[in-house]
């Protein structure tokens, strides 16, 4: 099954409001780059590939009403690109998509302003279509790692809602189902915003894949009881050495998987690899508001004024990762070799 979280037509970006799921299915319309930035910040749309796709359209929306000289349009393009890239810091797909649309526009030499706008929209569409293809390829490669009937654990939501519709980590489960191989899933609820409970559990239930919702704190016991055979999660940014940023709590799960000798996989498209940074130490980690912890979903659960720390992501060292499942295949250690090959194929 697919769960596209966005739709673009008639110069409007419609976003499935993921803050409201699973209680209500509501769509929010964005007509400007600024509205797209707000929607990304407030997590109407979230998940690394999905915010990249949204930002690609956002850049088109930022220039679509412009009338005037080509040089002035290019200035506006730079301004809106900078704005969009700052919406959230950790997922590299955001800056990657914005840069890609910008590069396409800049490559259109001696074209009119109107033609440049069309080029921006075409590139944004291309990113969305490509993402769907890549996710399906990730699903196919990942499914080969599984034996029929296995139970896997996933954290946060790396499903259709986090991409253009088919997911990365959840793509593996969707593919297994399509291939007629049984799979069942433990989904962690994922504090504080509950992407696992609200989004992953919803997607998998809709898809009729058996899913059991658990608190992150149950993972160690479940692993010791032998109930989890594999872990598959997504990624927001992967450094050149394989260190991987993903939703806060991922690192702890990876350590537990290592302690229980359970393979821990990262499923991600090659656009999530950031070869410009050598290690995870250089990945910027987003800090979000205290209220997400102290009064999430409108209910106060901690004393007013309490000091909090709320990093949205953590970094899992590459040594804890059994393999990367990408659209180009499964990359095994040593990553100093396999990621180099990916880098070369990204560049070509
Ligand atoms: O804060 P979020 O909900 O945007 O975080 C999402 C994640 O951490 C996902 O696991 C990641 O973006 C991969 S999505 C295919």
């Amino acid at each position: 099954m697919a769960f596209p979280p966005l739709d673009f037509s008639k110069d409007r970006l419609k976003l499935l409001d993921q803050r409201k799921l699973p209680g209500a299915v509501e769509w929010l319309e964005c007509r400007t780059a600024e509205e797209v930035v707000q929607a990304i910040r407030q997590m109407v749309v979230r998940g690394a590939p999905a915010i990249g796709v949204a930002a690609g359209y956002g850049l088109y929306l930022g220039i679509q009403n412009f009338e005037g000289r080509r040089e002035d349009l290019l200035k506006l393009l730079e301004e809106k690109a900078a704005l969009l890239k700052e919406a959230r810091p950790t997922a590299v797909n955001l800056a990657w998509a914005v840069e890609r649309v910008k590069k396409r526009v800049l490559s259109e030499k001696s074209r009119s302003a109107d033609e440049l706008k069309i080029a921006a929209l075409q590139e944004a569409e291309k990113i969305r279509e490509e993402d769907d293809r890549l996710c399906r390829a990730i699903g196919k490669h990942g499914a080969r790692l599984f034996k029929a009937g296995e139970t896997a654990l996933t954290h946060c939501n790396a499903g259709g809602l986090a991409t253009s519709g088919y997911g990365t980590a959840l793509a593996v489960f969707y593919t297994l189902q399509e291939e007629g191989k049984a799979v069942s899933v433990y989904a962690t609820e994922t504090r504080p915003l509950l992407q696992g409970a609200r989004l992953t559990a919803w997607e998998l239930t809709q898809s009729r894949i058996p899913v059991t919702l658990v608190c992150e704190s149950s993972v160690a016991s479940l692993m010791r009881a032998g109930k989890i055979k594999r872990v598959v999660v997504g990624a927001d940014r992967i450094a050149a050495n394989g260190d991987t940023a993903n939703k806060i709590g991922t690192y702890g799960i990876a350590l537990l998987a290592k302690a229980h000798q359970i393979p821990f996989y990262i499923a991600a498209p090659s656009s999530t690899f950031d070869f410009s940074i050598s290690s995870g130490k250089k990945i910027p980690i987003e800090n979000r508001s205290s209220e997400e912890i102290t009064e999430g979903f409108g209910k106060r659960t901690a004393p007013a004024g309490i000091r909090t720390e709320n990093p949205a992501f953590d970094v899992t060292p590459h040594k804890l990762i059994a393999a990367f499942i990408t659209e180009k295949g499964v990359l095994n250690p040593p990553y100093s070799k396999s990621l180099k090959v990916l880098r070369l194929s990204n560049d070509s």
Side-chain angles (χ1 to χ4, degrees), residues 230-248:
R230 294 169 199 279
V231 178
V232 192
V233 299
D236 286 83
R237 191 187 294 233
I238 303 164
N241 68 346
D243 293 350
T244 297
N246 190 49
K247 179 52 55 193
I248 189 77

Side-chain angles (χ1 to χ4, degrees), residues 43 46-49 88 156-158 162 168 195 235-236 246-247 313:
M43 295 178 64
R46 33 66 52 200
R88 287 188 79 188
C156 193
N157 173 264
T168 56
Q195 288 95 328
D236 286 83
N246 190 49
K247 179 52 55 193
F313 302 95

Side-chain angles (χ1 to χ4, degrees), residues 6 40 44 55 70 106 110 130 139 168 199 231 252 305 310 327 336:
L6 40 75
I40 292 173
V44 172
R70 179 191 153 91
L106 295 176
S110 57
E130 253 178 48
T168 56
L199 310 176
V231 178
N310 186 18
E327 78 279 9
S336 51

